[in-house]
Structure formats: C-alpha cells, structure tokens
Amino acid sequence: MRKSIATVSLSGSLSEKLSAVAAAGFDGVEIFENDLVASPLSPEEVRLRAADLGLSIDLYQPFRDAEAVPDEVFARNLRRAERKFAVMERLGADTMLVCSSVSPDAVDDDALAARQLRTLAERAADHGIRLAYEALAWGRHVNTYDHAWRIVEQADHPALGTCLDSFHILSRGSDPKGIEDIPGEKIFFLQLADAPKLAMDVLQWSRHYRCFPGQGGFDLAGLLGHVLRAGYAGPLSLEVFNDVFRQADAGRTAVDAMRSLIALEEAAGLSSLPAPVVPDGFAFAELAAADTEPLRSLLGALGFARTGRHTGGKPVELWQQGTARVLLNTVSGARREGPGLVALGLESPEPAAAVRRAEALRAPVVPRRRAPGDVPLDAVAAPDDTELFFCRTDREDHPSWTADFGSPAAPDGGGAGITRIDHVALTQPWHHFDEAALFYASVLGLRPNESLDLADPYGLFRSRAVANAAGTLRVALNVAPVPGEQEVRPQHIALATDDLLATARRVRANGAGLLPIPDNYYDDLDARYGLDRETLDAFRELGVLYERDADGGEFLHCYTVTVGRVFFELVERRGGYQGYGAANATVRLAAQHTADAGSRPVR
C-alpha cells in the first residue's frame, strides 16, 4: 500500500521534512498547517518541491472546531474554510482533515453537526476537495470513531467521509471491530500511531508520547485488519506527536518511520518480507580501545585465555572461556573515555537470509574491508552504531568466523567457571531508544519486554530488554537519564556461570576488583527473603546481588569494576528465572557512582 507521513512527525523546516520523507521512500505526505504557515515557501513552491521529490500531498490538516455551533459562529467557520480551500488548491491537496470540535461553543446536537458538515462539504466540493471528519479522543461531544461515522452517514454528502486515527480509537479502549461496518469508500483517510500504555490525560498522552507502530503497546496490526476488511484502499499514514522525534534528525526519524510501516504491513499480512532469522546466541562481543592492556588484565582475571590473533594482520585478539568469546581490537585514536563495546557477533541459522531481511527493513549495511583470506561476514549497524555481524561458529555448512583467528580451539581448564555470554547491555542515545526497540524486534525477530523506568542517583534510567524465545540471546537497551550522557555511560557484558559464588571467588583471587555493595542492601535482603546467614554472609563478602521472581526462580549477579566504558557482570540463573535483576539496578548504579567518586559520574 502507499505510505505517507505527517510533517508534524519530524523535526526541521518544511523543506527539510519533505526531503527526509522522500529519501526514506515514502509516497506521500500530510502537510501540517503550522509547518506551511511557518515556511518561507509559498503553497505553489511547496507543491513543486513535493512533486520534484516524487511525493503526493495526501492531506492538509487540521481544520478545527467546525461543527455543531451557533449560526453566527458557523458563518465565521465557513469564511475560514473558504480561505483554507484556496490554500489547498494552490498546494495541490484534495483532502482536508476536520477534527471533532473541542470548542465551548459546540453543542451536543448530532443533527446540527451533520447539517453544518454537509454545508461545509458542499463548499469543499466546489473546490474539488474532500473532508475527512475525525473524532478526537478528547472531543467535546464527539470523541469516538463510531459517533463520528454516524454524523458523516447522517450528513450524506459524497465529499464528506471519515478519518480513522489509531491513537484516538485505541487510547479510549474502543473496539475497532465496528470499523468493518463503515463502507470502505467512506473511509477517506487512515492515520496510524502507536503509544506506550500510560495512565494520564489523553490529550497530553497524544501530544507528547505517540510513537511509530511497533514501539508502543497498541495492537495496530489488528486495527489495520479491520480497516482493510472494511474496504479501505488509501495510504497508510503516520501521524506521530512526540517530543523526542521533534528534536531528532529528520532523516533518521523518517527511516525509522518507514521501517515501522514495513513491519506493520508484514504483521497485517500485506507484504512478504524475507522471514525473520532469529539469532541463536552470541558468537562474540567486540571491545575496542587505544590501550587494550587493562582489558587484557581483566579478561585474564575473569578466567579467559587468549586463543588467537587475527591472521590477516588486524590488531584483533580472540579471548575465550567456554563458548564466551571476546574480541579485543586495538584502535588508534579511540575515544578518550576508554574501551567501548563496538560490535556483536550473532549466531545466525542463515546469515545471508538475515542480511536480506535487515536490508528490506532499511537497516544500514556496514561496509567491511576484507583481506583476500578473510571469512566473508556481513554486518548491519544498530541504531546506536553497534555493528551486528551474522555468524556461524564451527559449523560444516558455513565458513566459521573463527578461521580468521586460525580456527582456535577452546582453552582447556584454568577458567573461572564462565560458560557463555548471558546478555549484553547497550546504552542508546536518548533520542534513539524507541527506534532501537523496533529495530531489534523487526530486523532480528527478538521479543521486546516492557520498558522500565529505574532510579539512578542522577535521574531516571529507562531500560527495555529484547530476547529470543529460548533466552539464549538477550540484549538490554538502556538510555541515560540526561541527553548526551550516552557518550560516557558504560556498557556491559553479562557472563553466565553455573556457580556464581565459586566463580566470584576465583575471579577475586585472580586479582579482579568486584564492585562493593553497601551493607544496607544486605540488611534489606535479609528482611525481604530471610536467606540463611551463611548465604547472606557470602553474598555480602563478594558483592553479590539477589532477586527471586514470583515463580521461585532466582538470579544471582555481581559486577567487576569499570574499565573505561566497560564492565562485566557475572550471573547465575536458577529455576527458570528470565529477568535481569531489575530490582537491584538502583543499588548497582549507586554503588558504581560511589566507586567512581572524585571523577566524572558513572551512569
């Protein structure tokens, strides 16, 4: 289906928005009146600019407070409408959005509303324009889509139809099934927006927290199915009011928007993309730094052994313990903040198919300089610029990336009990958090958990995890409390063990510093869970944090000190525990701040 987006969804000038929309591959655009009013371009110039970019102008919006008002007020509204119709003719737009009234002048009289909308439609038809009547969720008297349709049906004019807006429908908890009772030719326009499920005033919810499909909690695929069964054949258009999007780069936001519509079409059965290729687990995590010696020392203390160097001469080492593999990349001119997590190798059942799906969903492919003998590896860039490599490790049916390191064998003994990478935590730029959740869900087929707000000593810390169904690949997406702090906030790799206490003791004996946790935490832990004294003392000694879920699953975890922007977490899962120890995040963050006292705050 044709795809459109409202200019209000993006940042920048109207000209910049049009360029971003076209570059992202949209077919059309909704012109938000404020964007046109503030533009130095005349309506004719906007029309030409859109045409040059291959964009149709699908809607002009909004026209407010038109109907169910006293005669003298309606007379003024007709005059106002005539001026708008003239602008639309110059703009080349043939459909105008009319919102249900919120005016104190409006009265609760459907017959009057229908009569006045019919008159307005007659005037619009004289200009070759159609009116799409929309029920605002906070409309004074008309605030549901079925009520708006009854008025349109009563008005009975060919130039008057309805506009369906997913936010206005789903935010009120309306049942969208009734949409199928509306004739498809009378659904003049469809606007789509998702949103997190919040308990707040619906107007503020709408104005600040809408997001693109797949980034919130609404069933947009279900709603779209009802609209299509009604016979709607117009564009799928995004209308998203979001404070973050309006400050982010317009080009990037437009690509994110397009990705959301492509994924929505797939979910609704409208398109056939390359099927999701869900990763099996982590092949490796890559750390880069100008000076990798502190990381070598830490990995050695964690029980890792260096098992290979890149055979093509690249300054990259492979460190391994069990199936947990870490690449150390010595990079000249690395950030002054120190080592960073720059790439992940994802075990993929079909690497080539994974790349095809990523490209179909507008994921940028990372160009890779490869020596003649290097194993071919494809990578795409995640929203935070982490490179994601699709790999096969030591399988006969696909070249193994480990061949670039001389096909090293796993080290024998001498480790600390670490078996694999349990999860990684990636800090997202504050304005890419929702984009990242959609990216990992749509491109990789991972399942997103609910977004959590966690208390940090310096603000709120948002976190959302994505994982495969088996729990063998987990990624925690975090965002710093203050814009700009993602540049210094550490990222971390969580390493699994079957016996955390034994592993922590070995790691400490090897010289690794473990993050100290305040005694107050253990007093509280005793009150909450009533652990036996020996266990509690061991936790206190090693800085181990503990959480138990409602089903009795247990999570034990502790942390190393931070090296540059990287630290490691040691974790043990018991009894099917699936979480990440969210209840302990505040304590961990505060402890890291304390450990880093006297320098820039650790986030």
Side-chain angles (χ1 to χ4, degrees):
M1 298 182 73
R2 296 182 64 260
K3 299 175 182 66
S4 186
I5 187 171
T7 56
V8 74
S9 307
L10 306 171
S11 68
S13 67
L14 180 54
S15 182
E16 290 169 334
K17 294 181 183 192
L18 293 175
S19 296
V21 168
F26 282 89
D27 304 296
V29 67
E30 300 178 35
I31 300 292
F32 196 68
E33 184 175 64
N34 289 3
D35 287 321
L36 180 64
V37 170
S39 176
L41 302 178
S42 68
E44 291 84 359
E45 290 172 322
V46 172
R47 179 179 187 169
L48 288 173
R49 177 63 178 154
D52 288 344
L53 292 168
L55 295 171
S56 59
I57 298 177
D58 296 330
L59 189 76
Y60 186 70
Q61 63 129 325
F63 191 75
R64 302 185 187 277
D65 300 329
E67 82 287 6
V69 292
D71 289 344
E72 64 275 14
V73 176
F74 186 62
R76 293 197 298 270
N77 289 345
L78 285 176
R79 177 183 176 277
R80 180 163 57 96
E82 287 285 357
R83 297 294 180 90
K84 302 301 179 187
F85 297 152
V87 169
M88 290 177 63
E89 287 184 292
R90 297 169 62 196
L91 195 60
D94 64 3
T95 305
M96 182 167 74
L97 178 69
V98 178
C99 301
S100 64
S101 181
V102 299
S103 170
D105 294 324
V107 296
D108 188 7
D109 185 337
D110 285 4
L112 177 61
R115 186 166 64 251
Q116 291 183 342
L117 285 174
R118 181 181 175 88
T119 300
L120 195 63
E122 289 170 348
R123 298 288 188 91
D126 291 340
H127 297 268
I129 290 170
R130 305 186 309 166
L131 304 181
Y133 182 54
E134 171 189 67
L136 296 178
W138 53 90
R140 183 172 176 83
H141 301 296
V142 179
N143 49 41
T144 63
Y145 77 91
D146 50 339
H147 191 176
W149 163 240
R150 289 196 301 271
I151 292 174
V152 168
E153 190 175 31
Q154 186 175 348
D156 190 25
H157 192 281
L160 179 66
T162 190
C163 173
L164 298 175
D165 183 301
S166 64
F167 180 86
H168 295 305
I169 295 169
L170 299 177
S171 65
R172 295 187 60 88
S174 299
D175 185 353
K177 190 176 188 308
I179 291 171
E180 297 183 30
D181 297 328
I182 304 173
E185 67 274 8
K186 296 300 285 185
I187 302 174
F188 281 3
F189 211 73
L190 173 65
Q191 293 178 319
L192 296 164
D194 208 336
K197 293 185 177 179
L198 302 173
M200 66 185 306
D201 173 75
V202 70
L203 177 58
Q204 295 304 312
W205 189 12
S206 172
R207 286 287 179 258
H208 303 285
Y209 296 101
R210 295 195 198 193
C211 51
F212 295 131
Q215 297 176 346
F218 290 157
D219 179 12
L220 293 190
L223 180 140
L224 179 56
H226 294 304
V227 175
L228 296 175
R229 284 190 287 275
Y232 176 72
L236 306 180
S237 191
L238 298 169
E239 186 199 40
V240 173
F241 297 85
N242 184 292
D243 295 341
V244 173
F245 294 172
R246 284 184 288 215
Q247 299 176 66
D249 176 75
R252 184 163 187 156
T253 303
V255 171
D256 185 28
M258 175 57 72
R259 181 180 299 127
S260 78
L261 280 184
I262 294 171
L264 178 61
E265 283 187 319
E266 180 185 41
L270 292 175
S271 65
S272 179
L273 297 178
V277 181
V278 182
D280 298 325
F282 293 103
F284 63 82
E286 181 176 347
L287 303 173
D291 178 10
T292 54
E293 189 55 41
L295 286 173
R296 288 192 186 93
S297 297
L298 181 54
L299 285 172
L302 287 168
F304 281 78
R306 190 178 70 182
T307 58
R309 294 181 63 89
H310 197 280
T311 56
K314 295 178 181 177
V316 182
E317 300 173 348
L318 172 60
W319 291 69
Q320 187 168 347
Q321 182 174 183
T323 61
R325 303 177 188 87
V326 177
L327 302 184
L328 288 189
N329 190 346
T330 303
V331 181
S332 61
R335 298 182 182 191
R336 60 182 176 83
E337 290 86 359
L341 179 56
V342 297
L344 296 173
L346 306 179
E347 293 284 3
S348 176
E350 299 181 66
V355 172
R356 288 195 295 272
R357 179 171 178 85
E359 290 181 305
L361 284 158
R362 305 297 196 269
V365 175
V366 177
R368 182 170 180 251
R369 290 179 298 176
R370 192 170 71 237
D374 286 355
V375 172
L377 281 179
D378 291 307
V380 297
D384 64 349
D385 294 328
T386 299
E387 296 180 0
L388 305 178
F389 288 87
F390 300 108
C391 304
R392 297 281 277 174
T393 304
D394 301 329
R395 304 285 183 89
E396 294 182 358
D397 58 347
H398 191 278
S400 176
W401 63 274
T402 55
D404 286 346
F405 297 87
S407 298
D412 294 327
I418 289 165
T419 58
R420 61 185 178 84
I421 295 176
D422 182 88
H423 66 273
V424 298
L426 301 175
T427 303
Q428 304 301 303
W430 67 280
H431 50 295
H432 297 160
F433 184 74
D434 290 327
E435 177 188 357
L438 174 63
F439 176 93
Y440 282 94
S442 62
V443 173
L444 300 183
L446 302 179
R447 299 178 179 180
N449 294 343
E450 290 297 320
S451 179
L452 301 175
D453 289 331
L454 307 172
D456 178 279
Y458 289 83
L460 277 181
F461 168 95
R462 284 184 74 194
S463 183
R464 190 173 194 182
V466 293
N468 63 10
T472 54
L473 186 135
R474 297 179 171 98
V475 179
L477 306 170
N478 302 325
V479 65
V482 179
E485 289 194 347
Q486 70 274 2
E487 295 300 322
V488 297
R489 189 183 191 91
Q491 298 178 322
H492 79 265
I493 302 170
L495 303 169
T497 175
D498 295 328
D499 187 341
L500 181 71
L501 296 181
T503 295
R505 287 193 173 100
R506 290 177 197 161
V507 166
R508 189 177 63 175
N510 289 339
L514 296 178
L515 182 70
I517 301 299
D519 282 346
N520 294 334
Y521 169 79
Y522 297 101
D523 293 338
D524 180 68
L525 198 62
D526 186 23
R528 284 189 289 136
Y529 293 117
L531 300 173
D532 65 80
R533 181 54 54 188
E534 182 180 356
T535 297
L536 196 64
D537 288 346
F539 286 179
R540 191 190 307 266
E541 173 198 359
L542 297 167
V544 172
L545 301 167
Y546 176 86
E547 186 178 76
R548 185 185 301 163
D549 64 24
D551 297 320
E554 298 173 292
F555 189 62
L556 285 67
H557 56 139
C558 63
Y559 298 85
T560 69
V561 294
T562 303
V563 176
R565 296 188 302 122
V566 174
F567 62 93
F568 291 89
E569 180 182 8
L570 305 175
V571 308
E572 178 186 350
R573 298 176 182 272
R574 299 175 178 172
Y577 181 92
Q578 296 298 316
Y580 300 82
N584 297 322
T586 297
V587 175
R588 186 263 294 178
L589 290 163
Q592 287 181 316
H593 281 286
T594 300
D596 198 52
S599 63
R600 182 168 49 193
V602 171
R603 296 290 194 271

